[in-house]
Amino acid sequence: MKLVYEVLDELKKTKIKDEKLNILKTHKEFWALRDVLRGTYDSNIKFRIPKGTPPYVPNVEGSIPGVLNKRHIDFQYFIENGPSSSTPQHRVERMFITLLETIHPGDAEVVVAMTSKKNIPGVSKKLIKEAYPELLTD
């Protein structure tokens, strides 16, 4: 299975809309990708994480103990008014840094961009709505 940043890189390199849709539809069961897309483009999702890049040490490629494909469930701690909104802020920020330090450096960059609500190159909100009509709430 590909990593999230690999799928996003593929979308960025693809210029034809139908091919982009095909890539997204091929990965419709890729929950980490869907969570990143929703976190990035759904304006109803607000993050408890300060915008920008936190001080963290990127993982060394090849020695990755965790992958975003499994760790994306931690996103619940980073969302305002989410199921884990009672978790203290300092703990949330520590969990966020731990997540970034344990996943592939490319995926870590994607997560930081998501919590800062930075658009993904080559991916538009309109494209997401067409590929996954039920994903965004706004």
Side-chain angles (χ1 to χ4, degrees):
M1 177 177 267
K2 291 183 178 182
L3 298 176
V4 172
Y5 88 93
E6 293 173 321
V7 175
L8 296 178
D9 280 351
E10 188 177 349
L11 287 167
K12 185 167 99 175
K13 292 175 185 171
T14 303
K15 302 299 179 203
I16 300 168
K17 179 185 169 191
D18 287 342
E19 289 178 16
K20 288 178 186 269
L21 286 169
N22 187 46
I23 291 167
L24 288 170
K25 289 177 181 180
T26 299
H27 294 92
K28 70 180 180 181
E29 300 296 325
F30 192 177
W31 302 111
L33 173 66
R34 291 171 66 102
D35 284 351
V36 165
L37 294 171
R38 184 167 181 225
T40 301
Y41 290 101
D42 194 324
S43 60
N44 292 318
I45 295 177
K46 309 280 188 241
F47 290 99
R48 298 175 62 188
I49 304 299
K51 290 186 182 196
T53 304
Y56 77 99
V57 178
N59 198 339
V60 178
E61 218 173 316
S63 67
I64 301 157
V67 290
L68 189 55
N69 304 11
K70 293 183 181 179
R71 299 286 312 271
H72 68 102
I73 60 170
D74 292 348
F75 291 174
Q76 68 180 317
Y77 294 100
F78 313 141
I79 298 172
E80 287 182 10
N81 302 319
S84 301
S85 60
S86 62
T87 305
Q89 184 66 24
H90 71 278
R91 185 163 178 227
V92 169
E93 290 177 19
R94 182 69 237 159
M95 291 171 66
F96 185 66
I97 289 171
T98 300
L99 172 69
L100 297 177
E101 291 180 339
T102 58
I103 60 177
H104 189 282
D107 278 349
E109 290 176 15
V110 167
V111 172
V112 169
M114 174 191 73
T115 59
S116 296
K117 295 289 197 175
K118 291 183 180 175
N119 287 346
I120 300 165
V123 180
S124 67
K125 190 172 191 172
K126 184 178 176 182
L127 181 72
I128 300 307
K129 285 184 172 188
E130 192 170 337
Y132 307 131
E134 75 294 345
L135 186 65
L136 305 178
T137 61
D138 63 342

